[in-house]
Amino acid sequence: MVFGARVWKTGIAVALALYISAWLGFTPPVIAAVAAIFAMQPSIYRSWRYFLDQIQTNILGAALALLAGMFFSNNVIAIGIVCILVIIVCLRMGMEETIGVTLVTVVAVMEASGEWQFALNRFLLSLIGIGCAFVVNVLFFPPKPKEQFAAQIQTTFQKMSLLLRTVISDEIKETVFREEKGSLESGLQSLSSKYGLMEEEVKKLRHAGLSRVRQLIIYKQKLQVMYKGLAVLNAVDEHYFQSPRTEELDRYFDSHIEELIKFHEHVLLKFDDKLKSDSKEGLEMDAQNERFMSFLMEHYHDKPSGMLRLAIVAAAMYDYGYQVMRLDKLVEHYHRGETEEKEPFDMLLKSIRLK
């Protein structure tokens, strides 16, 4: 968890849970605080889903703990056995994320040794904490993974653009390259997490419209393209400088990466509706990608020894260019309207496994 809105909201939820518990006279309020910490989720959908799941598993856990407490009191072995049973039940129900708070409820209830009033007090404390986390998450700076994804992909693209534009020419310092590449990889992991939240909402929420599904497909392709750019960086780092090259070959590789980056930037601006939609750009890039591979194959036939590593780099660049062109087609269909874009988007619906 990075320092941001979620950190502030966790603190607010804890404070609110402690205040409400004290106001209602429930003790110890620390149980509500612990539940609020566990219940803070990165999206509205997950918060609601977590809230519902916690109600189910907490009722079940409290019932088992109350029953066991009546027969075995607060015997430590009995508490351990009940915790194991509750974990198994939660796993069977597919509610792994609820295990932490549910076990807190179980232990607190079994401490009451079968006294239902005391057990109810502990159970309500857990619900207060979960409810406070849900309310705070919805009302204060509600998570917006779509907006965060859109903003972060621009920042991540700038990092990737700098690295790709300087990696062949070897202008960037080695320490800076390693640092920026690590930052790029972290950024892509963060983007993957945000995309996962958006995909989860579209899959689970029945009211998700077709326009939202189309956007999600484009976001997935955006992320795919970014990973292909990272693959180019890795290929250059591992294979390019270990291969025999000429100045002409260096210039050709460098200029082709420059064109790929420019086209990638063009497509991103086109999706943001800042540039005119023009299919000629994609056709020109497709032809240039083919010419690049043909040029390499000519050199490969002339000097087959030592060219295999360059072929790996070229293949990564070709794949990157292909995925950018695929993104370009999706963006054009997206802006043309529902009728023309229906067929290509329907072909890609299976890629996000909407069910």
Side-chain angles (χ1 to χ4, degrees):
M1 183 189 297
V2 297
F3 186 80
R6 192 176 172 191
V7 176
W8 291 103
K9 289 190 292 185
T10 300
I12 295 172
V14 168
L16 184 62
L18 291 172
Y19 176 78
I20 292 177
S21 299
W23 180 57
L24 295 175
F26 292 154
T27 56
V30 68
I31 295 177
V34 171
I37 293 171
F38 278 102
M40 188 58 63
Q41 297 295 309
S43 72
I44 299 298
Y45 169 77
R46 282 196 181 179
S47 292
W48 176 243
R49 186 74 261 169
Y50 188 87
F51 180 74
L52 295 179
D53 290 348
Q54 280 288 2
I55 291 178
Q56 297 177 57
T57 56
N58 268 267
I59 291 176
L60 180 60
L64 288 175
L66 183 60
L67 186 62
M70 293 173 63
F71 288 98
F72 303 105
S73 185
N74 55 0
N75 182 276
V76 292
I77 297 178
I79 294 175
I81 293 174
V82 173
C83 287
I84 294 173
L85 290 175
V86 169
I87 292 173
I88 293 173
V89 172
C90 290
L91 292 175
R92 289 290 185 181
M93 294 174 67
M95 300 178 182
E96 296 88 348
E97 293 185 356
T98 66
I99 291 175
V101 177
T102 304
L103 291 181
V104 172
T105 302
V106 168
V107 174
V109 169
M110 288 201 69
E111 182 188 357
S113 304
E115 297 179 12
W116 71 268
Q117 299 94 335
F118 195 72
L120 180 62
N121 175 75
R122 297 295 193 265
F123 174 70
L124 291 176
L125 278 169
S126 295
L127 291 187
I128 288 173
I130 297 167
C132 288
F134 174 73
V135 171
V136 169
N137 204 26
V138 172
L139 297 182
F140 294 90
F141 307 105
K144 297 179 180 179
K146 177 183 172 182
E147 288 77 3
Q148 293 170 350
F149 183 93
Q152 189 173 347
I153 203 166
Q154 291 293 337
T155 304
T156 308
F157 172 75
Q158 294 301 324
K159 292 180 182 294
M160 191 181 76
S161 174
L162 170 66
L163 292 171
L164 285 175
R165 282 187 161 113
T166 56
V167 67
I168 294 291
S169 59
D170 202 22
E171 296 173 308
I172 192 169
K173 293 181 178 179
E174 181 70 16
T175 54
V176 176
F177 176 80
R178 297 299 170 195
E179 182 180 343
E180 290 295 317
K181 186 167 175 285
S183 178
L184 173 62
E185 291 171 344
S186 299
L188 289 178
Q189 290 176 359
S190 177
L191 283 170
S192 296
S193 299
K194 289 180 174 58
Y195 172 80
L197 295 175
M198 293 188 293
E199 184 182 34
E200 183 179 54
E201 289 185 0
V202 171
K203 281 183 178 181
K204 301 296 183 180
L205 300 180
R206 295 181 179 180
H207 65 267
L210 187 58
S211 176
R212 195 171 178 183
V213 175
R214 294 190 184 104
Q215 286 185 350
L216 182 64
I217 293 171
I218 291 181
Y219 291 149
K220 181 175 184 179
Q221 186 61 20
K222 278 186 174 185
L223 187 58
Q224 174 80 351
V225 169
M226 296 295 290
Y227 272 108
K228 293 300 180 181
L230 177 61
V232 173
L233 283 173
N234 288 330
V236 172
D237 188 33
E238 294 176 12
H239 300 287
Y240 189 79
F241 297 105
Q242 291 78 15
S243 306
R245 310 176 319 278
T246 62
E247 290 186 6
E248 179 188 12
L249 201 62
D250 283 343
R251 286 195 299 270
Y252 206 76
F253 268 82
D254 194 31
S255 63
H256 188 57
I257 285 186
E258 178 68 25
E259 291 300 321
L260 290 174
I261 283 292
K262 287 172 61 178
F263 182 53
H264 189 176
E265 184 177 28
H266 179 89
V267 175
L268 293 179
L269 291 172
K270 188 191 297 185
F271 176 71
D272 293 335
D273 210 16
K274 295 180 180 179
L275 296 178
K276 296 179 180 178
S277 180
D278 187 2
S279 59
K280 292 182 180 179
E281 288 280 344
L283 295 174
E284 292 175 0
M285 179 51 61
D286 188 23
Q288 184 170 335
N289 226 13
E290 294 295 336
R291 287 196 300 269
F292 172 73
M293 294 304 294
S294 298
F295 173 83
L296 186 71
M297 290 303 295
E298 290 176 6
H299 279 69
Y300 178 79
H301 286 301
D302 294 339
K303 300 176 182 178
S305 60
M307 291 294 291
L308 287 176
R309 282 191 159 188
L310 289 180
I312 294 174
V313 178
M317 292 170 61
Y318 181 87
D319 194 21
Y320 171 53
Y322 172 77
Q323 295 298 335
V324 177
M325 286 185 286
R326 192 164 178 239
L327 175 62
D328 182 52
K329 291 178 182 178
L330 289 173
V331 169
E332 286 192 359
H333 284 296
Y334 177 77
H335 286 306
R336 283 176 187 171
E338 181 176 342
T339 303
E340 293 187 30
E341 70 188 11
K342 186 177 186 303
E343 182 177 353
F345 273 96
D346 285 348
M347 292 171 61
L348 288 171
L349 282 176
K350 293 181 180 180
S351 66
I352 57 173
R353 295 189 293 275
L354 288 171
K355 297 182 180 179

